[in-house]
């Protein structure tokens, strides 16, 4: 019984710590907000329909806030609040797989909490949820913008219930804090682009062309993969005139095999990997006319 009581008391302490840094953001309907710096609150961008909001502090004060910027990619918005005097939430020292997590929101009067579990290390490397983490807790009304915290009350991520229906997700703390810093300085987060449209294409190993797949070959997201060394690349179907890709010499009909030495298999994966590299120089491995060649591209900014 003592162990259970200690666990319960520790979780209550974590909620109390985090709750001091979670506020209510009135923007049509009340949602949560996480204080990440002096006078700065991160919340979900999709709930904000104007640039003026009201922020209610844990002690009941109502203060005017101004939206300093929005980032559509992470669905985060930064709100500046004068006279906030609410301590920012410190980032987690590193939650591990299997640790209990707490989804802490303040959708209206008082704190509301959901219990979750760190289900896996990091975030998905591919697919539509690339860059997001699963909170492991059930979503509740007004939780977006709240804090996902560990058992010590450290910030693991900023919550969002509007990205995937029925699933509570979070922008990892390191990424969320970086977005907040950029929004505070620039009012927007520059995103990289290449200026190409692509679609997945599979091509077999020529040595095994025309053979039937072996029994037991695995079927993945991009179709049947025989054990023949077949690969998936991205066929370039459009190159925007004057774009970084055009300047690098990329042509319609090229097949993009790798970005900076790492294979790439889906258009969404390409977009996500390039978005975070605005202004950087990257190497591209492409297949053209049966020959592989390397191109160098400087990622554009939008």
């Amino acid at each position: 019984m003592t162990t259970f009581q200690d666990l319960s008391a520790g979780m209550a302490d974590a909620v109390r710590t985090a709750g001091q840094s979670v506020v209510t953001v009135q923007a049509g309907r009340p949602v949560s907000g996480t204080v990440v710096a002096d006078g700065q609150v991160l919340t979900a961008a999709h709930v904000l329909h104007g640039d003026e909001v009201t922020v209610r502090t844990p002690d009941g004060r109502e203060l005017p806030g101004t939206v300093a910027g929005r980032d559509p990619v992470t669905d985060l918005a930064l709100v500046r609040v004068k006279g906030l005097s609410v301590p920012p939430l410190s980032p987690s020292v590193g939650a591990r797989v299997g640790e209990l997590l707490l989804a802490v929101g303040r959708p209206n009067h008082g704190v509301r909490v959901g219990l979750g579990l760190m289900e896996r290390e990091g975030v998905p490397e591919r697919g539509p949820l690339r860059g997001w983490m699963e909170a492991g807790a059930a979503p509740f009304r007004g939780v977006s913008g709240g804090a996902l915290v560990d058992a010590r009350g450290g910030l693991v991520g900023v919550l969002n219930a509007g990205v995937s229906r029925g699933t509570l997700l979070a922008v990892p703390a390191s990424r969320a804090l970086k977005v907040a810093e950029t929004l505070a300085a620039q009012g927007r987060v520059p995103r990289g682009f290449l200026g190409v449209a692509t679609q997945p294409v599979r091509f077999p190993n020529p040595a095994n062309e025309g053979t039937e797949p072996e029994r037991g070959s695995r079927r993945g997201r991009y179709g049947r993969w025989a054990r023949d060394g077949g690969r998936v690349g991205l066929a370039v179907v459009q190159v925007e005139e004057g774009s970084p890709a055009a300047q690098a010499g990329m042509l319609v009909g090229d097949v993009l095999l790798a970005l900076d030495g790492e294979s790439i298999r889906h258009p969404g994966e390409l977009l996500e990997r390039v978005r975070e590299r605005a202004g950087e120089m990257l190497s591209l491995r492409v297949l053209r006319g049966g020959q592989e060649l390397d191109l160098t591209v400087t990622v554009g900014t939008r």
Side-chain angles (χ1 to χ4, degrees):
M1 179 62 74
T2 301
T3 300
F4 180 75
Q5 290 175 336
D6 291 343
L7 173 63
S8 180
M11 292 171 62
D13 289 342
V15 171
R16 181 177 59 189
T17 297
Q20 294 172 353
S21 302
V22 176
V23 298
T24 304
V25 178
Q26 293 278 3
R29 61 183 177 87
V31 293
S32 304
T34 301
V35 181
V36 293
D38 185 25
Q40 296 180 13
V41 176
L42 273 181
T43 190
H46 74 267
V47 301
L48 303 181
H49 304 297
D51 291 336
E52 304 299 324
V53 300
T54 299
V55 173
R56 184 185 299 120
T57 64
D59 60 6
R61 293 179 299 138
E62 292 192 351
L63 303 170
T66 302
V67 178
R70 296 173 171 84
D71 178 34
V73 173
T74 57
D75 193 31
L76 290 174
L78 184 71
V79 178
R80 294 186 188 275
V81 188
K82 290 184 178 180
L84 184 60
S85 66
V86 171
L89 192 54
S90 300
S92 169
V93 296
R96 299 173 298 171
V97 173
E99 281 196 31
L100 292 174
L101 299 178
L102 296 160
V104 182
R106 194 181 289 273
N108 212 322
H109 298 285
V111 169
R112 184 170 177 181
V113 182
L115 179 63
L117 188 72
M118 177 69 84
E119 297 178 351
R120 58 180 164 183
E121 199 98 32
V123 297
E125 294 185 0
R126 296 184 176 89
L129 300 184
R130 177 180 168 87
W132 295 81
M133 64 183 299
E134 295 180 37
F140 54 84
R141 187 175 180 85
V143 68
S144 291
L148 182 67
V149 301
D150 60 21
R152 295 168 291 277
L155 181 65
V156 175
V158 177
L159 297 163
N160 194 308
V163 174
S164 180
R165 180 174 297 181
T167 303
L168 185 58
L169 302 177
V171 180
S174 58
R175 188 181 188 193
L177 294 175
K178 184 177 179 180
V179 167
E181 291 178 2
T182 306
L183 289 177
Q186 303 181 36
R188 60 184 292 268
V189 179
R191 297 296 179 184
F193 80 105
L194 293 182
V196 295
T198 63
Q199 64 182 31
V201 59
R202 178 185 178 277
F203 44 99
N205 186 329
N208 296 318
E209 191 169 358
T211 61
E212 288 297 320
E214 294 181 27
R215 177 174 295 181
S217 61
R218 56 194 174 95
R219 181 178 294 277
R221 181 176 175 184
Y222 307 101
R224 182 178 295 279
W225 275 70
R227 299 187 184 117
D228 63 355
R231 292 185 293 176
V232 169
L234 296 182
V236 177
V237 297
Q238 181 181 356
V239 179
E240 185 179 325
E241 186 177 354
S243 67
Q247 294 174 12
M250 186 170 286
L251 304 176
V252 172
D254 286 348
V255 177
L256 178 59
L257 302 175
L259 180 71
D260 260 7
E262 296 184 11
S263 62
I264 194 156
R265 302 178 176 182
H266 192 272
E269 182 185 354
L270 175 62
L271 290 174
E272 286 294 336
R273 287 171 60 178
V274 169
R275 275 174 178 165
E276 308 298 328
R277 309 288 294 274
E280 296 185 27
M281 187 173 292
L282 304 179
S283 64
L284 306 175
R285 171 63 61 91
V286 302
L287 181 69
R288 178 182 297 170
Q291 299 294 320
E292 294 187 14
L293 65 150
D294 294 314
L295 302 176
T296 300
V297 62
T298 300
V299 180
T301 302
R302 282 179 172 160

